Amino acid sequence: MNGALPDAAVVLACAPLGYCLLEQDGVVRHVNAAFLNALALPSQVVLGEDILRFVHSEETSVLCAAMADIEAEGSRPSQCELRLTRPDGTAHWVMASLSRMTGPSPWIILQTQSIDDLKQAVTSLQKSETRWKYALESAHQGVWDHDFSANDLFYSIPWKTLRGMAADATVDGSLDIWIENVHPADREHVLECIRRQDEGEVEFNVFQYRERHADGHWVWIESRGASIEWSAEGKPSRIIGTDTDISERKKAESQLEEISRRLRLALDVSKVGVFEANLDTGTIMRDKQLLSIYGLDPQQPGVAAFEERLHPEDRDAALARVAAGVASTVPFMNAFRIVRPDGEIRHIRSSSVTFTDNEGAHKLIGANWDVTEDVILREELERARQLAEARNLELEAARTRIEYNALHDHLTGLPNRRFLDQRLDEWTAETVAYCAILHIDLDRFKQINDTLGHQAGDAMLVHTARVLSSIIGDRDFVARIGGDEFLVLCDAHQSQDEVILLADQIIEALRQPVAYEGHSCRFGASVGIAWTVDGTADAKQSLMNADLALYRAKGLGRNRYEFFTKQLQTQIHHAKRTADEIIKGLEDGEFVPFYQPQFDARTLDLAGVETLARWMHPQHGLLTPDYFLKIAEDINALTAIDRCIAEQALSDFGRWETLDFGVPRISVNVSSPRLREPGLIESLRQLNIPRGKLSFELLESIFLDDLDEDSSQILNDLSALGIEIEIDDFGTGHASIVGLMKLNPSRLKIDRALVKPIIEAAEQRKLVGSIIDIGHSLNIEVVAEGVETIQHAHILRDLGCDTLQGYAFARPVSASDFECFVKAGQWRKNWKIQGQGPARVVPIR
């Protein structure tokens, strides 16, 4: 065909694919009809607009990236999948191809092809696969997969269950072993079916057989298998199938066969009786079978025998149907009961028709047959059907109860953790939406349980469930997720202020006293809130965020709520990182002892050394316990740190003894967990520590007023080993004089907080003097911590303090620096004793 080629614009306008010409900044300058159809918009709405306006918000970054790609790659096209938004809010999936035009104009060509049907088909296929998976599981069909090429035989849990095997049982799938469990009468048939499958004669194989159950009985199984992979020789190399327990079906088939047999027998013995009545003369002729059915004597048929034999309850209806049938002149059926002369009642069916014979006589001819057995059988079947329906209703009710119990807490009736997980999955699937998660933990609940018993605790949990259910909104979700923990999912329509108000209402309601058997039970609630509408975390992450916020709320005093924040997350991550570093530091030997000497207040002789823990951090340098002590306590690492420091200190002390450094004793700080560590006494006994050379420094609050039997035994064992006890930070706790007498320590150390103000405060000097007097009255040496100036030393000496420790004499130093310090006798060069009577310590200028 001759003629000029059509203009390119005309071709694009008629093209089935969508075309759009964009400026470099994404402004639409030209579109064809197919592109407008995809948007369902006219050209005047599209032209001049940014192309991103018509792209789904979740795909804008994809399009921007594709445009950046062609910018970077030059003329190389870029492809991506996008959703175009339409005015009605729907989205249309397209495959987008972008390319740059060659030449001086920086135009971008956007070509689109609809893939919406494909996307929907893929989604439908995924749903179909999910439905089939759950259908197999709910139908209790066992799945097996024989991959002979990989020598991998797989059997699902339902496959094992229907055979009475445990879920984790190992299955020997070899034919020789398995066939032994098949009923002897079925083995030949089964082996033949397997042979046909293995030989490739059939791709899909179905056969039924009996297999021995784990408890010994036989189970009817219907096996369905299909070959899905073949070897190079054309034989199946992988067969997958399902096994279904059809024992009940087989039993039902047997019962049905029995019923059918009885029905056939009934039909065989139910002979049909024939009659012919002359309607003009009233005479009736009956055959012998009919007379036998009615129980009549052939010698005395009787004209009115039919009416006489009719059951009184059926007579009127049966005669009416006969009269109607005769009048209609068409074949008709009848059903009625008869009462035989012997009193037996039989059920009769009748088929009749009127006709006129060759002589013009008007006659009625028909057949009767006894269907009593059929009626009885039908009644039995009906009863069986009703019984089955009733059983099905019972099973459905039981299933409903089981499902409800599986998803609800038996005590409170609230949804349980499993139900919560389902709701979170629905949230993730965007079938429901929430704005916040409230994680609630009851405060002081354990005390109620411990003092009033678990029944009281259960009553408080039921009360809490009732309170939460009454406070939350209709579209909120509340669940008990374990112990005394509850969780509320707040509907997405609520504002943050409404969520805060809800948290306040929960806290206020749960702090109210609850009466229980004459007791007024008081507890409270701590609430951690994760606000989720900012989209920063998915449902599972939000649950963890709420838990972190709850931890923060409990740490800040309980009976309050806290929101999850990035700062909190940073703190948690810092604590986690520090905890990991502590554990690694212990493994790498980063925790080392530092030593601060103690001096006799009168002679300035070295009186002892306190061992202090330091962390030689590879990045942060030397760290004091303020940095790591709390986190180490949280992760139960204090015992390991105490042990590590003590072992190094004892090693250093042994070396000093060998070098004759003249260190009278060494003290180590011991935490409460370390003091109660199993095997502590035995390990110390094996070290053969010289008596009076090692002291354990204990915080004032560890024992003083609560010396139970175990604690007393530990102290007695330490005393027997010659290990002395010192009370650290004395004067800042709550111990009584009686508690001090019970403990009977060798020394007590006045806390630096009491020592520091004695220079300016006379009352403080009196207090410190009183502590010293109390110690001396109980034969306890007194050590003053925090001696930082000459004035402190003067005052403490005048007050009678025995030992001084502080920066005025020496700071804590490493083992090597301490050894240099002792060798040089630096403190004696810097300080001297002056005067008679009470010693005066003065600096040497």
Side-chain angles (χ1 to χ4, degrees), residues 592-596 609-613 645-646 649 666-669 697:
V592 296
F594 265 47
Y595 302 100
Q596 186 172 26
V609 177
E610 180 182 3
T611 307
L612 302 169
I645 297 299
I666 188 170
S667 63
V668 295
N669 291 288
E697 288 195 22

Side-chain angles (χ1 to χ4, degrees), residues 294 306-323 333-340 344-350 371-372 375 378-379:
Y294 281 79
F306 171 69
E307 297 181 6
E308 293 176 356
R309 298 276 74 82
L310 284 175
H311 193 286
E313 295 179 3
D314 298 344
R315 179 180 291 110
D316 292 342
L319 294 177
R321 280 193 292 271
V322 171
M333 299 291 295
N334 208 342
F336 46 85
R337 288 171 294 173
I338 63 171
V339 181
R340 291 161 58 111
E344 182 182 3
I345 298 176
R346 306 294 291 180
H347 293 263
I348 306 299
R349 294 292 183 268
S350 172
V371 294
T372 303
V375 171
R378 187 168 58 252
E379 289 175 349

Side-chain angles (χ1 to χ4, degrees), residues 104-119:
S105 299
W107 298 104
I108 298 173
I109 300 175
L110 171 62
Q111 175 182 328
T112 62
Q113 181 176 5
S114 175
I115 58 172
D116 200 61
D117 291 342
L118 177 60
K119 281 287 187 177

Side-chain angles (χ1 to χ4, degrees), residues 35 37-41 50-64 79-98 110-120 123 429-430:
F35 190 84
N37 289 339
L39 290 176
L41 289 170
D50 192 321
I51 187 61
L52 295 179
R53 174 188 169 189
F54 309 105
V55 177
H56 195 281
S57 59
E58 295 181 3
E59 271 81 49
T60 54
S61 60
V62 177
L63 180 58
C64 290
Q79 286 191 339
C80 58
E81 294 182 358
L82 300 173
R83 281 178 290 178
L84 300 178
T85 57
R86 293 180 168 180
D88 60 359
T90 60
H92 190 81
W93 278 99
V94 298
M95 174 62 75
S97 177
L98 293 94
L110 171 62
Q111 175 182 328
T112 62
Q113 181 176 5
S114 175
I115 58 172
D116 200 61
D117 291 342
L118 177 60
K119 281 287 187 177
Q120 293 181 10
T123 301
E430 300 182 352

Side-chain angles (χ1 to χ4, degrees), residues 435-436 438 471-473 475-476 488 490-506 529 531 561 563:
C435 68
L438 276 63
I471 292 178
I472 66 170
R475 292 190 292 187
D476 296 339
V488 174
C490 297
D491 179 69
H493 293 84
Q494 298 190 55
S495 67
Q496 193 164 5
D497 289 340
E498 289 173 322
V499 172
I500 292 174
L501 178 60
L502 176 62
D504 285 333
Q505 289 176 328
I506 290 173
I529 306 175
W531 183 250
Y561 68 83
F563 272 88

Side-chain angles (χ1 to χ4, degrees), residues 382-592:
E382 177 61 20
R383 284 194 297 271
R385 184 190 65 80
Q386 293 176 355
L387 182 61
E389 288 182 354
R391 180 59 176 163
N392 288 338
L393 291 175
E394 292 177 1
L395 292 175
E396 179 63 21
R399 186 195 65 78
T400 302
R401 288 194 302 272
I402 292 172
E403 182 175 337
Y404 180 87
N405 292 336
L407 297 176
H408 289 79
D409 174 42
H410 72 282
L411 176 63
T412 63
L414 290 179
N416 58 15
R417 183 56 185 260
R418 181 179 175 187
F419 200 158
L420 171 64
D421 289 340
Q422 289 186 7
R423 188 57 60 95
L424 292 178
D425 290 340
E426 293 173 1
W427 187 2
T428 302
E430 300 182 352
T431 57
V432 295
Y434 299 101
C435 68
I437 296 178
L438 276 63
H439 192 168
I440 304 164
D441 184 85
L442 301 185
D443 300 329
R444 299 181 299 280
F445 175 77
K446 185 176 184 299
Q447 289 87 328
I448 295 175
N449 245 350
D450 292 344
T451 56
L452 299 180
H454 290 293
Q455 289 184 343
D458 290 348
M460 298 307 106
L461 294 175
V462 172
H463 168 77
T464 300
R466 188 163 49 247
V467 168
L468 293 178
S469 299
S470 66
I471 292 178
I472 66 170
D474 294 337
R475 292 190 292 187
D476 296 339
F477 177 85
V478 60
R480 180 191 176 201
I481 59 176
D484 59 345
E485 295 184 60
F486 297 81
L487 191 134
V488 174
L489 303 180
C490 297
D491 179 69
H493 293 84
Q494 298 190 55
S495 67
Q496 193 164 5
D497 289 340
E498 289 173 322
V499 172
I500 292 174
L501 178 60
L502 176 62
D504 285 333
Q505 289 176 328
I506 290 173
I507 293 172
E508 179 61 27
L510 293 180
R511 68 157 51 119
Q512 303 304 316
V514 182
Y516 176 77
E517 294 187 354
H519 299 278
S520 181
C521 300
R522 290 182 178 272
F523 59 96
S526 298
V527 182
I529 306 175
W531 183 250
T532 65
V533 294
D534 55 5
T536 58
D538 59 18
K540 303 289 185 182
Q541 183 62 47
S542 296
L543 193 63
M544 291 188 286
N545 293 345
D547 185 57
L548 293 177
L550 173 63
Y551 180 80
R552 178 64 177 272
K554 296 178 77 68
L556 292 177
R558 305 174 182 268
N559 212 35
R560 58 185 291 142
Y561 68 83
E562 285 292 327
F563 272 88
F564 172 82
T565 63
K566 292 297 183 182
Q567 180 182 6
L568 173 59
Q569 188 176 36
T570 300
Q571 293 173 353
I572 297 297
H573 288 169
H574 171 73
K576 174 63 169 62
R577 184 171 58 253
T578 303
D580 293 339
E581 291 174 349
I582 288 173
I583 296 173
K584 187 175 186 300
L586 284 167
E587 295 172 351
D588 296 344
E590 297 172 3
F591 287 89
V592 296

Side-chain angles (χ1 to χ4, degrees), residues 681 709-722:
I681 301 301
E709 184 177 346
D710 292 338
S711 303
S712 298
Q713 184 60 48
I714 291 172
L715 296 178
N716 291 335
D717 292 341
L718 291 175
S719 177
L721 292 175

